[in-house]
């Protein structure tokens, strides 16, 4: 029996249907995992807030920790220059 007769088209219009289905399903699984992880992260921020931490500052720390040290130094220097220019020196 041919693929066309069984309904299991391995190639439709020059596209490998099984490969395409596999790729789509993998992305769908990863999106579900990402959704679950996002929910877990939100829960951690709720926990941090209930423990008295400022969530906005924690997010800023996380962003800074991802940066290269030279980039952090440059950003801090620019922030200091801009503050002083606006008379906001600390």
């Amino acid at each position: 029996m041919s693929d066309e007769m069984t309904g299991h088209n391995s190639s439709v219009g020059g596209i490998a249907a099984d490969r395409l289905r596999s790729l789509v399903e993998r992305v769908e699984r990863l999106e579900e995992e990402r959704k679950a992880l996002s929910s877990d992260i939100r829960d951690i921020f709720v926990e941090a807030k209930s423990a008295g931490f400022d969530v906005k500052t924690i997010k800023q720390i996380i962003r800074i920790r991802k940066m290269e040290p030279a980039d952090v130094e440059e950003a801090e220097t620019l922030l200091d220059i801009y503050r002083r220019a606006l008379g906001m020196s600390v």
Side-chain angles (χ1 to χ4, degrees):
M1 197 178 280
S2 74
D3 283 344
E4 287 181 21
M5 294 175 74
T6 62
H8 298 292
N9 296 334
S10 60
S11 181
V12 177
I15 297 174
D18 292 339
R19 178 72 173 141
L20 177 60
R21 182 176 298 106
S22 171
L23 293 169
V24 169
E25 289 172 353
R26 285 171 50 200
V27 169
E28 289 172 340
R29 276 193 305 276
L30 290 171
E31 286 178 344
E32 283 300 315
E33 289 177 30
R34 179 172 46 188
K35 190 163 56 168
L37 288 172
S38 292
S39 176
D40 291 346
I41 291 169
R42 273 192 303 277
D43 292 346
I44 292 169
F45 285 128
V46 167
E47 179 183 342
K49 185 175 182 174
S50 69
F53 293 103
D54 183 69
V55 172
K56 198 171 173 181
T57 304
I58 291 173
K59 289 180 179 183
Q60 188 174 5
I61 292 292
I62 291 168
R63 185 176 46 81
I64 290 169
R65 287 172 52 116
K66 290 178 185 178
M67 296 170 65
E68 293 294 323
D71 294 335
V72 173
E73 186 176 337
E74 179 183 0
E76 289 175 350
T77 299
L78 284 172
L79 183 59
D80 183 53
I81 291 169
Y82 290 1
R83 281 183 175 157
R84 284 188 280 134
L86 296 171
M88 300 172 59
S89 204
V90 183

